[in-house]
Amino acid sequence: MTIHCEAALVDGVVEAGVRLDADADGRIDGVALGVAPQPGDLRLGFALPGIGNAHSHAFHRVLRARTHDDGGDFWRWREQMYAAAARLDPERYHDLALGVFAEMLAAGWTAVGEFHYVHHRPDGSPYDPAHAMELALAEAARSVGIRLTLLDTCYLTGGIGKPPSPDQRRFGDGTPARWLARWESLRDALPADTVLGAAVHSVRAVAPDDITEIVRALPADVPLHVHLSEQPQENEDCVRAHGLTPTGVLDRAGALSPRLSAVHATHLAEDDIRMLGDAGVTIAMCPTTEADLGDGIGPARRLADAGARIALGSDQNAVVDPFLEARGLEAGERLASGRRGRFGPAALTDALTASGYASLGLTGGIRRGALCDLVEVDTASVRTVGADLAQIALAATASDVQRVVVGGTVRAASGALAPAGAGRRRGTEPARLLADALAAFPLPSAKE
């Protein structure tokens, strides 16, 4: 497959006449700049490299616009999230993920890191056949055509020093050894096109010695993710129990390294920022979720200046729009600092593309050897007309995404899945897929 882009962002620079050769594995085999299209080329207008969603919980989509009327905080919202998790089974999980992943792909996310911890039956017993929940997610992603990095998550305790609550029983494997054994068997069960990563849910859910055991046992090339300091209470409980901040616990456990992605990192001490930067950790910011849950504004600019890499994620999927995540990152910085341009357009595009992909164990960008994933953006919509193309991330929304290419193949166009996707059987519109899934997924509102 050969693709010609009228213009494309290549390493942050707008280049005209970009022609890409994709090999049989869906990787870029050659890049030519300033050239005309040839007969038989797939012809795109203005394109960005593939956009990586560094942090998602697909099932949280059930809570969109159903948790606002009674106020509350993160911890109240979490109770409603547990109620959603209790209603999942492999079939419902598959159908819901199918709709969420379709929404993501049509919005311009070409790869997703699914932070997955709903492993077992509600009573904690394993499914038969094994890995039914994980395979449901993998099949949904394959059907839609989005790249999936399955971040299989270790979740052992209900809080620091506390056993799992009844709501949490299905998340855990009891011990790090049992989680590792299940993770190893999952490697053989997943389809070849799914990347298997790993996650430690948080220092609330995995004890320090258990984090050490997991870090030492996982192969060095496996992406590792963790929720970090999303709430002040997490920090207070951790310092009280261990005499260290959550970042300090991860440092002592040997978890801080370039393969680690720390999600949120909202409430950090100066020493935390230094440690994360020195280790070259990726910080997966989720601005729309952090705003929705009232988490606070994280120190993204200081983390980047310290040496951390910034990526972006949709987290609870209250919003599925990569451009709004990018603008949310910059908007938070502006509101906190009173200054504009804290993250310039090139830095925002990098957070969406190359850094997002790296967080998921993938090679992104428009260059030889990278995955041939592209997002075509309308440059003449009411939002984007007149924009400097290098700054398109500060103007566009998901509504401006025209075609989405994954592995050299068009997988979505004009807000719908391409005909080869699973949507051909059930309707190609993500809204229809979601409506079907949510109709079979009743959940009481916050007042019921």
Side-chain angles (χ1 to χ4, degrees):
M1 168 67 75
T2 303
I3 301 171
H4 185 273
C5 306
E6 184 178 333
L9 265 181
V10 182
D11 295 329
V13 176
V14 178
E15 300 282 0
V18 178
R19 194 163 185 263
L20 308 173
D21 290 319
D23 64 20
D25 294 326
R27 291 186 176 273
I28 298 173
D29 194 38
V31 180
L33 306 179
V35 299
Q38 299 296 317
D41 288 357
L42 170 64
R43 297 180 63 171
L44 304 180
F46 174 67
L48 301 175
I51 297 175
N53 186 345
H55 187 69
S56 164
H57 300 288
F59 79 89
H60 291 188
R61 169 64 179 83
V62 172
L63 302 176
R64 184 186 294 181
R66 302 182 77 170
T67 62
H68 297 283
D69 52 354
D70 260 0
D73 58 10
F74 168 86
W75 304 102
R76 178 180 175 83
W77 170 89
R78 190 178 73 159
E79 293 174 4
Q80 296 165 317
M81 181 269 287
Y82 285 163
R87 290 171 166 83
L88 289 172
D89 59 31
E91 182 178 0
R92 283 181 173 175
Y93 210 5
H94 170 271
D95 290 350
L96 183 59
L98 190 70
V100 174
F101 292 159
E103 183 182 8
M104 285 181 192
L105 188 72
W109 297 110
T110 50
V112 57
E114 183 62 25
F115 198 105
H116 163 65
Y117 51 82
V118 188
H119 302 301
H120 306 301
R121 299 180 189 275
D123 65 359
S125 62
Y127 279 98
D128 184 14
H131 310 304
M133 298 293 264
E134 292 75 30
L135 292 172
L137 289 169
E139 173 58 23
R142 186 206 62 77
S143 295
V144 165
I146 195 169
R147 295 191 188 277
L148 174 65
T149 296
L150 184 62
L151 298 163
D152 194 85
T153 302
C154 184
Y155 196 128
L156 301 177
T157 62
I160 296 174
K162 299 178 181 178
S165 69
D167 288 334
Q168 298 166 324
R169 267 196 301 253
R170 69 185 313 185
F171 304 161
D173 294 282
T175 68
R178 286 203 289 268
W179 176 80
L180 284 162
R182 189 179 55 75
W183 187 90
E184 286 288 351
S185 68
L186 181 57
R187 297 179 82 182
D188 297 327
L190 287 174
D193 57 359
T194 299
V195 175
L196 179 58
V200 169
H201 181 274
S202 60
V203 299
R204 291 183 281 112
V206 186
D209 288 347
D210 294 341
I211 297 173
T212 300
E213 181 177 346
I214 289 165
V215 170
R216 288 176 177 171
L218 287 172
D221 60 347
V222 171
L224 178 64
H225 289 223
V226 62
H227 292 123
L228 179 66
S229 293
E230 184 176 3
Q231 292 291 319
Q233 182 180 324
E234 175 184 329
N235 292 350
E236 295 161 7
D237 292 347
C238 188
V239 170
R240 188 180 303 112
H242 306 303
L244 296 168
T245 65
T247 301
V249 167
L250 294 177
D251 181 51
R252 181 171 290 182
L256 299 187
S257 74
R259 71 130 162 213
L260 182 71
S261 292
V263 183
H264 303 305
T266 307
H267 302 282
L268 300 178
E270 288 302 319
D271 280 350
D272 297 336
I273 293 171
R274 176 189 54 77
M275 285 188 283
L276 292 165
D278 286 350
V281 168
T282 293
I283 306 298
M285 294 285 186
C286 306
T288 64
T289 288
E290 289 145 11
D292 183 82
L293 298 181
D295 288 344
I297 299 171
R301 183 68 264 170
R302 284 186 289 153
L303 283 159
D305 290 343
R309 195 170 188 176
I310 306 297
L312 292 163
S314 65
D315 194 359
Q316 62 160 325
N317 297 300
V319 177
V320 175
D321 188 324
F323 301 104
L324 295 187
E325 299 297 347
R327 292 213 281 287
L329 175 66
E330 172 61 9
E333 281 289 324
R334 292 183 185 189
L335 289 168
S337 69
R339 303 283 297 177
R340 299 179 80 235
R342 300 279 284 175
F343 285 91
L348 293 175
T349 302
D350 181 81
L352 286 171
T353 59
S355 291
Y357 266 50
S359 173
L360 304 179
L362 303 171
T363 305
I366 296 178
R367 56 191 175 89
R368 187 182 178 93
L371 295 163
C372 190
D373 300 347
L374 301 164
V375 179
E376 182 186 33
V377 179
D378 185 356
T379 60
S381 78
V382 70
R383 291 163 293 277
T384 61
V385 65
D388 178 345
L389 295 186
Q391 302 186 36
I392 201 76
L394 291 157
T397 70
S399 297
D400 298 308
V401 172
Q402 294 179 306
R403 284 174 289 182
V404 180
V405 174
V406 178
T409 300
V410 175
R411 297 292 186 177
S414 301
L417 298 183
R424 182 170 57 184
R425 297 193 309 271
R426 304 179 54 189
T428 60
E429 296 288 342
R432 179 171 172 180
L433 295 172
L434 283 164
D436 289 348
L438 293 169
F441 204 100
L443 186 72
S445 70
K447 287 186 175 180
E448 290 181 313

